[in-house]
Amino acid sequence: MKLAETAIEPVRKTRRVGLTSEEAFELFTRRLETWWPLSDHSVAGNDAVGVVFEERVGGRVLEKTRSGEVHSWADVFEWDPPHRFLLSWHPSATPVAASILEVVFEPAGSDHTVVTLEHRGWEALGEEKARTLRDRYDSGWEGVLDRFQESVGSAL
Amino acid sequence: MTALADDTRRSIFEIVQDGPRSVREITDLVSVSQPAVSQHLRILREAGLVEARAKGTRNIYSVSQRGLEPLREWVETVWEDVLDAFERAAEKKGRSE
């Protein structure tokens, strides 16, 4: 599997939550299904009914659909509860176009946590979309996202 | 035809992703002629995927941050949505910030 290079600036986001790092880590991973916006961000859109985070190195993040299909979003490369995990992220693509998703949980005081999410190599998502959509469009990058969202319903 | 629909052109883009390269360096890594490489680079440049800067008598090609802006914005939006949802769930569970 070729991991995406990091010639492009990663996307990085930080949030502070009123949970211990153990609670925040568990909410993000084991209890992913209780909060992830599935209809907006999944392979199957409105037909996605669940998602499970397999809590180990080599585990996967698996979306389940109404019809029983399973889509793997990611492979767990690094697993270090309650501090950090790192995934090979390929939500609707073959592993050839994986990017890296790293989430770090840092305690801030006794009952707060700073959660930092970094998505590296995300430009690989664009290449994959260009490949799968190349028969459907002939415009530039502006059209990629519109067409992608039309055809797969706001999938990742 | 999209900028990355051609296999050779996509290979060239991936080479440039590895790090900035001159036309000669790229040509050494692919199985087509230098004029063909230049042609592919011109198409990638027009698509906003790569950019060139002069270094002495050579042009050095690198990935264009600008061309990927629409995709970056979308990726940013996805993670904003996801983290908004995570924050709401955290607030429900714990002490709100």
Side-chain angles (χ1 to χ4, degrees), chain B residues 4-51:
Chain B
L4 292 177
D6 176 283
D7 283 345
T8 303
R9 196 173 308 131
R10 191 163 56 244
S11 298
I12 290 170
F13 180 68
E14 287 168 0
I15 288 165
V16 173
Q17 269 189 312
D18 262 337
R21 307 270 188 157
S22 65
V23 177
R24 171 66 179 275
E25 287 167 336
I26 295 167
T27 305
D28 286 345
L29 293 170
V30 296
S31 55
V32 297
S33 67
Q34 187 156 312
V37 169
S38 292
Q39 168 82 337
H40 285 303
L41 287 168
R42 184 178 65 73
I43 292 168
L44 289 170
R45 218 160 137 178
E46 284 168 5
L49 292 173
V50 303
E51 57 198 20

Side-chain angles (χ1 to χ4, degrees), chain B residues 29-91:
Chain B
L29 293 170
V30 296
S31 55
V32 297
S33 67
Q34 187 156 312
V37 169
S38 292
Q39 168 82 337
H40 285 303
L41 287 168
R42 184 178 65 73
I43 292 168
L44 289 170
R45 218 160 137 178
E46 284 168 5
L49 292 173
V50 303
E51 57 198 20
R53 66 182 163 77
K55 190 170 181 180
T57 54
R58 303 183 301 164
N59 275 333
I60 305 296
Y61 284 83
S62 55
V63 181
S64 169
Q65 305 270 355
R66 207 173 48 246
L68 290 166
E69 266 320 297
L71 184 59
R72 169 187 282 283
E73 280 165 21
W74 175 70
V75 172
E76 294 259 0
T77 304
V78 169
W79 296 119
E80 282 289 327
D81 284 355
V82 165
L83 288 172
D84 284 349
F86 177 70
E87 255 193 308
R88 283 195 298 273
E91 276 163 24

Side-chain angles (χ1 to χ4, degrees), chain A residues 36-42 45-46 153-156, chain B residues 81:
Chain A
W36 184 279
L38 269 182
S39 56
D40 295 328
H41 299 299
S42 62
N46 288 323
S154 307
L156 278 165
Chain B
D81 284 355

Side-chain angles (χ1 to χ4, degrees), chain A residues 2 5 7-9 13 15-16 18 31 35 41 112 119 123 126-127 129 131 141 145 149 156, chain B residues 10 14 17-18 47 49 63 70-72 74 76 78-84 87 93 95 97:
Chain A
K2 176 188 163 186
E5 282 74 26
I8 304 290
E9 192 67 28
K13 303 264 165 210
R15 299 293 174 95
R16 182 184 163 96
R31 303 192 325 108
W35 59 270
H41 299 299
H112 284 77
H119 187 186
E123 65 275 17
E127 284 182 78
K129 288 190 190 56
R131 273 177 220 163
W141 281 112
L145 303 176
Q149 287 182 347
L156 278 165
Chain B
R10 191 163 56 244
E14 287 168 0
Q17 269 189 312
D18 262 337
L49 292 173
V63 181
L71 184 59
R72 169 187 282 283
W74 175 70
E76 294 259 0
V78 169
W79 296 119
E80 282 289 327
D81 284 355
V82 165
L83 288 172
D84 284 349
E87 255 193 308
K93 181 176 163 52
R95 301 141 287 270
E97 183 59 18

Side-chain angles (χ1 to χ4, degrees), chain A residues 133-149:
Chain A
L133 294 176
R134 69 189 176 201
D135 295 329
R136 301 193 202 185
Y137 74 100
D138 54 17
S139 54
W141 281 112
E142 295 291 340
V144 171
L145 303 176
D146 295 333
R147 300 295 189 107
F148 183 74
Q149 287 182 347

Side-chain angles (χ1 to χ4, degrees), chain A residues 99-153:
Chain A
S99 50
I100 294 286
L101 188 72
E102 182 176 19
V103 186
V104 176
F105 301 78
E106 291 167 284
S110 58
D111 54 9
H112 284 77
T113 301
V114 172
V115 180
T116 302
L117 179 150
E118 189 167 290
H119 187 186
R120 305 198 279 278
W122 51 266
E123 65 275 17
L125 298 175
E127 284 182 78
E128 187 61 27
K129 288 190 190 56
R131 273 177 220 163
T132 57
L133 294 176
R134 69 189 176 201
D135 295 329
R136 301 193 202 185
Y137 74 100
D138 54 17
S139 54
W141 281 112
E142 295 291 340
V144 171
L145 303 176
D146 295 333
R147 300 295 189 107
F148 183 74
Q149 287 182 347
E150 270 169 42
S151 63
V152 298

Side-chain angles (χ1 to χ4, degrees), chain A residues 26-141:
Chain A
E26 188 198 31
L27 179 62
F28 206 111
T29 56
R30 181 175 306 166
R31 303 192 325 108
L32 182 69
E33 189 173 75
T34 64
W35 59 270
W36 184 279
L38 269 182
S39 56
D40 295 328
H41 299 299
S42 62
V43 174
N46 288 323
D47 287 336
V49 297
V51 59
V52 64
F53 195 121
E54 294 178 333
E55 299 166 68
R56 62 182 191 278
V57 172
R60 291 163 302 165
V61 181
L62 298 172
E63 168 192 329
K64 292 157 197 225
T65 74
R66 204 185 307 280
S67 59
E69 281 171 24
V70 174
H71 300 285
S72 175
W73 292 354
D75 297 291
V76 180
F77 274 17
E78 292 170 27
W79 179 250
D80 184 20
H83 307 293
R84 159 184 179 276
F85 65 82
L86 187 148
L87 311 176
S88 161
W89 185 251
H90 44 79
S92 60
T94 65
V96 169
S99 50
I100 294 286
L101 188 72
E102 182 176 19
V103 186
V104 176
F105 301 78
E106 291 167 284
S110 58
D111 54 9
H112 284 77
T113 301
V114 172
V115 180
T116 302
L117 179 150
E118 189 167 290
H119 187 186
R120 305 198 279 278
W122 51 266
E123 65 275 17
L125 298 175
E127 284 182 78
E128 187 61 27
K129 288 190 190 56
R131 273 177 220 163
T132 57
L133 294 176
R134 69 189 176 201
D135 295 329
R136 301 193 202 185
Y137 74 100
D138 54 17
S139 54
W141 281 112

